[in-house]
Amino acid sequence: MNASINVLLFGITRDITGQTAIQHPLAPHARVSDLLIQLHGQYPRLADIRALLVAVNGEYAEPDTKLKSTDEVALIPPVSGG
Amino acid sequence: MNASINVLLFGITRDITGQTAIQHPLAPHARVSDLLIQLHGQYPRLADIRALLVAVNGEYAEPDTKLKSTDEVALIPPVSGG
Amino acid sequence: MISLTSNPIDIASAYKYLQADGAGAIDLFLGVVRDNTQARPVDRLEYEAYDRMALSEMKKIADEACRRWNILKFVVIHRTGLLRIGEMAVLIGVSTPHRADAFDATRYIIDTIKQTVPIWKKEVFTDGEIRVNATP
Amino acid sequence: MISLTSNPIDIASAYKYLQADGAGAIDLFLGVVRDNTQARPVDRLEYEAYDRMALSEMKKIADEACRRWNILKFVVIHRTGLLRIGEMAVLIGVSTPHRADAFDATRYIIDTIKQTVPIWKKEVFTDGEIRVNATP
């Protein structure tokens, strides 16, 4: 049984993927940067976003943050609220 | 017949004079500074006000502004609105 | 819109007046009667104005703000008479396309009002003492 | 008070909430939907938020403002969903004893919200084109 992780999508990442969330396979010891590389492979247009950040459990995360399958991950393209 | 000028009083100048306006004799060719000197003589406590300005017809006036009897003069102690 | 009034200032109608299709930002500054001045308990304030000149000086300030910033609409309302704790003494409102102008203009208007507009505040402290012309 | 809401923002209740006996100044900033972006006519906006994180990021910003300035009460309300021209997208309100703090804190809060809070705007132009993620 392979582990997977839930990735929430917002803003332009919804338009690129056509989805509001995806289940993505999670390799053991995977970090945020590993997940991003895989998602870029799957959705090349994600690489066009000039500053794509990742949140883990509702907090901005660093590229070397480790992931576990119970984490809530979210792709955060440049915000435009206010 | 002596000319006179109407002087409106506001703020602390009302408390000092006990009035909201006074009629003051107006010498020929009198300027704002002449009027202030006379009023200081009559109400010495006016000299305690750290920056007493004078308005003529609703505009801040200079000490050398000439006065005529039809002018509306007002004593403007430091303002404290807002 | 510039006014002096002895009635309570209504924020909703000021907001309504400030609306403009090109407005992306509205800043509203409210000057309120606080319960103390330099830690001394205040009971109430009384504002007195040289009405005609207060209006013309407020207009000069608003005109200058309109020269300096891209202002779509503005409201300047100063209350006179007896005011209790929590009541609004002054409302300044500015609508602009972008927010920096709204903040800068509103701040300029209130700062300048406090320097040049012939309105005077009498502070009545809870111990009964009255102070005239304390500049803040 | 911090909230995200899909209902129209009510300025009167925000003002009521901001009142405090020690407040001498209240600044209210309203971000409003304007009829154009860079001279291009806008029909409507749609705001989408990562709710849980938007709330926690707004709280961080307000907490930091409370550390920097003497704030008595604050209100931060961001609207989500479909907004028409003239509707309020965001309201920031701060009450303080003195006015400089109210202006500085309000401006800090709105500036920082635009940088860090996960809320996204979709602009729908009158010609039907949709633009996502244009940062202002």
Side-chain angles (χ1 to χ4, degrees):
Chain A
M1 188 185 104
N2 293 319
S4 73
I5 197 162
N6 192 35
V7 181
L8 305 179
L9 302 163
F10 294 101
I12 199 161
T13 69
R14 286 193 178 175
D15 296 317
I16 289 172
T17 61
Q19 304 190 70
T20 59
I22 48 180
Q23 276 297 126
H24 195 83
L26 186 70
H29 314 298
R31 294 171 191 262
V32 161
S33 54
D34 302 321
L35 176 67
L36 269 181
I37 289 165
Q38 290 167 21
L39 290 172
H40 279 159
Q42 196 170 348
Y43 304 101
R45 285 184 55 216
L46 289 179
D48 297 341
I49 302 174
R50 79 188 131 77
L52 182 63
L53 301 176
V54 174
V56 176
N57 301 321
E59 299 283 338
Y60 285 107
E62 299 298 322
D64 65 355
T65 300
K66 284 185 187 159
L67 296 172
K68 52 186 191 300
S69 63
T70 52
D71 287 335
E72 178 179 289
V73 173
L75 298 191
I76 312 285
V79 302
S80 53
Chain B
M1 187 184 105
N2 293 320
S4 74
I5 197 164
N6 192 35
V7 180
L8 304 180
L9 302 163
F10 293 101
I12 200 161
T13 70
R14 287 193 178 176
D15 296 319
I16 288 171
T17 60
Q19 303 188 70
T20 58
I22 48 179
Q23 275 296 125
H24 195 83
L26 185 71
H29 313 299
R31 293 170 191 266
V32 161
S33 55
D34 302 321
L35 176 68
L36 268 182
I37 289 164
Q38 289 166 22
L39 290 172
H40 280 157
Q42 195 170 347
Y43 304 102
R45 284 183 56 215
L46 289 178
D48 296 343
I49 302 174
R50 80 188 131 77
L52 182 62
L53 300 177
V54 175
V56 177
N57 300 322
E59 299 283 339
Y60 285 107
E62 298 298 322
D64 65 356
T65 301
K66 285 185 187 158
L67 296 173
K68 52 185 190 299
S69 62
T70 50
D71 287 336
E72 179 179 288
V73 173
L75 298 190
I76 312 285
V79 302
S80 52
Chain C
M1 194 246 284
I2 290 173
S3 78
L4 276 178
T5 176
S6 55
N7 297 318
I9 297 174
D10 180 28
I11 192 171
S13 56
Y15 167 61
K16 202 165 175 185
Y17 178 83
L18 289 166
Q19 295 203 305
D21 282 353
I26 295 176
D27 195 42
L28 283 164
F29 173 81
L30 319 175
V32 179
V33 179
R34 183 183 57 264
D35 64 0
N36 73 89
T37 299
Q38 287 143 6
R40 226 178 130 184
V42 165
D43 180 65
R44 62 184 185 274
L45 298 186
E46 288 170 36
Y47 281 96
E48 158 202 342
Y50 179 12
D51 290 36
R52 116 190 220 193
M53 184 175 171
L55 288 168
S56 68
E57 290 293 324
M58 290 194 290
K59 183 170 185 316
K60 282 182 197 171
I61 295 166
D63 287 348
E64 177 62 25
C66 290
R67 271 188 293 274
R68 293 194 193 187
W69 294 284
N70 185 6
I71 294 176
L72 298 168
K73 296 259 184 76
F74 66 82
V75 174
V76 178
I77 306 172
H78 205 298
R79 180 127 175 238
T80 56
L82 176 72
L83 276 81
R84 301 283 177 183
I85 310 296
E87 288 197 276
M88 233 185 284
V90 62
L91 178 151
I92 315 294
V94 171
S95 58
T96 61
H98 300 285
R99 72 186 184 285
D101 281 0
F103 281 117
D104 289 342
T106 303
R107 198 161 182 166
Y108 167 81
I109 292 170
I110 182 64
D111 286 353
T112 314
I113 281 176
K114 286 177 174 267
Q115 291 163 17
T116 66
V117 175
I119 297 177
W120 296 271
K121 174 168 70 180
K122 189 179 282 191
E123 291 167 310
V124 183
F125 295 99
T126 53
D127 62 12
E129 209 203 306
I130 294 170
R131 185 164 66 182
V132 181
N133 277 341
T135 40
Chain D
M1 193 246 283
I2 290 172
S3 78
L4 275 178
T5 176
S6 55
N7 297 318
I9 297 175
D10 180 28
I11 192 171
S13 57
Y15 167 61
K16 202 165 176 185
Y17 177 84
L18 289 166
Q19 295 203 306
D21 282 352
I26 295 175
D27 195 43
L28 283 165
F29 173 81
L30 319 175
V32 179
V33 179
R34 106 160 158 267
D35 64 0
N36 73 88
T37 298
Q38 288 144 6
R40 223 176 133 187
V42 165
D43 180 65
R44 62 186 186 273
L45 298 186
E46 288 170 36
Y47 282 96
E48 157 201 342
Y50 180 12
D51 290 37
R52 113 188 223 196
M53 185 174 171
L55 287 168
S56 69
E57 290 294 323
M58 290 195 289
K59 183 169 185 317
K60 283 182 196 171
I61 295 166
D63 287 349
E64 177 62 24
C66 290
R67 271 189 294 273
R68 294 194 192 187
W69 295 283
N70 185 6
I71 294 176
L72 299 168
K73 297 260 184 73
F74 65 82
V75 174
V76 178
I77 306 172
H78 204 299
R79 182 130 173 234
T80 56
L82 176 72
L83 275 81
R84 300 281 177 185
I85 309 297
E87 287 197 278
M88 233 186 284
V90 62
L91 178 151
I92 315 292
V94 171
S95 57
T96 61
H98 301 283
R99 72 186 183 285
D101 281 0
F103 281 116
D104 289 343
T106 303
R107 199 161 182 167
Y108 168 81
I109 292 170
I110 182 63
D111 286 353
T112 314
I113 281 176
K114 286 176 173 266
Q115 291 164 16
T116 67
V117 176
I119 296 177
W120 297 271
K121 175 168 70 179
K122 188 180 283 191
E123 292 167 309
V124 183
F125 296 98
T126 52
D127 61 12
E129 208 203 307
I130 294 171
R131 185 164 67 183
V132 181
N133 277 341
T135 40

